[in-house]
Amino acid sequence: MVTYQPPKSVDSSAPTSAAWNPAQVAKVLRHPIHVRLYSAAPYLADLYRSDLEWRIQHPSQFGSTAFSRPLLIRKFRKNYFIPGSSQDLIYHASCVAAFHEQVPGCLPEDQDVFDYCPPLRSEMRQNLCGDFSVMLAYWRRLNAETSRRLQQDFTHVLHADISDCFASVDTEVLDDLLSELGGNCDVLRGFQAIHQHWAQADCQGLPLTGSSHLLLKIYLKKVDAQLKAAGVPFIRLQDDFRLFGRSKRELASHREELQKALLSRGMRLNTTKTRMVSRGPRPSGASPFSWADLRRTFSQGILCPLLSDGLSFRLFRPVSLRLLPLFCGHTCWSA
């Protein structure tokens, strides 16, 4: 067990950002995109308690003062890990929120041109954690832009995915990157402590939470910069890249550049999910209805996503909180 002290940036004795106060951190924790990621967690109901904002502001005044063993969770046909308790989830989200004002400034001005993962840089500027309530909306934007470029500017596109993206993040490198942003020393020590605790439990990298999306933007900044420097046209949503070219040979060269860029961050391509698509007679994103989008939406079943979305509505919340453990609990277990 690793004992810790709460970061001053979220402690009641220290000032917090006007934009990222406990109410905003609570909003992040309850955002539908984020809730879907840990909807199988046994502590999900804790996030909807009336004292959540108080618990965010006083993270050391409830429960144990040690990190819990992380939980493993089955999502998207792969195993990930999530914080082992609501206390750890709150702590980690609060630490990430402490850097929210610095992150937009460290990202390039054109970040939203190639990075479609929420929160977008423009959304962060407005203190939003995502304009849309479901990730599907961002996927549709990515697919629509892929189709547009393939029809108008290029003849080939390479769909490429990072192998075990969350687990491949070197948290020591990430801690150094956060330190360069000039963050609070107590927050940085908190990051290091919880990352070390998860590593000791054989859970490498980042947990599957909404806060990790923001950390990935910082970590993949070097990869994005190397691709741009090499003249590779690309867009991405989190770890899903789309590289564009005007021939198979050019696309093969772009793939090599991506592999080199990922290697600089200790990552590699998932060869089983890498495929090339050529220009077709009709853009795949032209239709308002897409079977691919539907499969992606319900890849974890139909009921669990619907129950997770029901948490956003006070009327349906008691039913969702009661049924989610019954239908999704088997997909979450102790690491």
Side-chain angles (χ1 to χ4, degrees):
M1 302 293 280
V2 180
T3 59
Y4 68 96
Q5 293 296 323
K8 290 182 178 178
S9 61
V10 294
D11 186 81
S12 58
S13 62
T16 59
S17 162
W20 287 92
N21 52 32
Q24 187 64 26
V25 176
K27 183 178 178 182
V28 170
L29 289 169
R30 293 171 175 171
H31 193 281
I33 288 178
H34 301 175
V35 169
R36 277 200 179 200
L37 298 177
Y38 40 75
S39 59
Y43 51 76
L44 182 64
D46 289 351
L47 302 181
Y48 294 91
R49 284 169 41 178
S50 59
D51 64 345
L52 178 61
E53 291 181 25
W54 184 90
R55 298 169 73 214
I56 293 169
Q57 196 167 10
H58 305 84
S60 65
Q61 297 183 30
F62 62 92
S64 170
T65 56
F67 294 125
S68 302
R69 189 170 183 82
L71 298 173
L72 296 181
I73 191 167
R74 184 73 176 175
K75 284 280 187 180
F76 318 119
R77 298 187 293 278
K78 293 191 294 186
N79 290 341
Y80 297 87
F81 79 92
I82 59 175
S85 67
S86 60
Q87 176 177 338
D88 291 359
L89 178 64
I90 290 170
Y91 185 82
H92 190 252
S94 298
C95 286
V96 175
F99 288 94
H100 196 274
E101 289 188 335
Q102 290 99 322
V103 172
C106 84
L107 298 176
E109 292 286 341
D110 63 343
Q111 181 79 19
D112 292 351
V113 174
F114 59 83
D115 180 5
Y116 286 66
C117 185
L120 303 178
R121 186 175 184 272
S122 56
E123 293 172 342
M124 285 186 273
R125 292 287 191 186
Q126 302 174 55
N127 300 316
L128 299 173
C129 50
D131 273 343
F132 300 107
S133 61
V134 293
M135 187 66 85
L136 175 63
Y138 293 92
W139 278 109
R140 287 191 65 83
R141 288 170 111 186
L142 181 82
N143 291 335
E145 178 62 13
T146 299
S147 297
R148 187 195 69 78
R149 294 194 184 194
L150 194 58
Q151 292 300 310
Q152 299 180 12
D153 304 320
F154 301 96
T155 58
H156 297 76
V157 58
L158 183 74
H159 294 241
D161 186 82
I162 301 176
S163 180
D164 296 323
C165 178
F166 282 77
S168 299
V169 173
D170 187 328
T171 53
E172 291 186 2
V173 173
L174 178 61
D175 290 340
D176 290 339
L177 294 173
L178 293 172
S179 179
E180 293 174 3
L181 293 181
N184 183 287
C185 293
D186 294 294
V187 177
L188 290 169
R189 282 194 293 268
F191 262 123
Q192 292 167 356
I194 199 167
H195 288 160
Q196 289 171 8
H197 172 70
W198 288 334
Q200 290 169 5
D202 292 328
C203 291
Q204 306 296 327
L206 295 175
L208 186 66
T209 67
S211 299
S212 294
H213 290 167
L214 190 67
L215 297 177
L216 273 177
K217 288 181 181 289
I218 302 171
Y219 194 77
L220 293 177
K221 177 183 175 182
K222 182 178 181 180
V223 175
D224 296 334
Q226 288 186 219
L227 289 178
K228 290 165 67 177
V232 177
F234 76 98
I235 56 176
R236 67 174 177 85
L237 196 158
Q238 199 166 280
D239 62 332
D240 193 308
F241 285 79
R242 309 287 171 87
L243 312 182
F244 300 93
R246 294 180 174 84
S247 68
K248 292 183 179 180
R249 178 176 297 181
E250 184 179 31
L251 215 55
S253 175
H254 292 343
R255 174 175 172 163
E256 292 179 5
E257 292 294 341
L258 177 59
Q259 288 176 316
K260 289 191 294 185
L262 291 176
L263 189 60
S264 70
R265 278 288 184 240
M267 296 174 153
R268 58 187 177 84
L269 279 181
N270 184 341
T271 55
T272 61
K273 295 179 69 175
T274 300
R275 60 190 178 90
M276 185 187 69
V277 177
S278 301
R279 177 185 291 173
R282 183 176 62 88
S284 60
S287 171
F289 180 82
S290 167
W291 283 108
D293 288 342
L294 192 62
R295 286 196 301 271
R296 188 187 300 278
T297 304
F298 298 116
S299 61
Q300 300 301 304
I302 297 176
L303 188 58
C304 289
L306 289 177
L307 289 174
S308 299
D309 292 347
L311 293 169
S312 301
F313 305 95
R314 188 179 298 274
L315 179 64
F316 301 121
R317 190 174 299 158
V319 175
S320 293
L321 288 175
R322 183 179 293 273
L323 293 180
L324 275 168
L326 297 177
F327 292 98
C328 306
H330 66 283
T331 62
C332 185
W333 63 95
S334 179

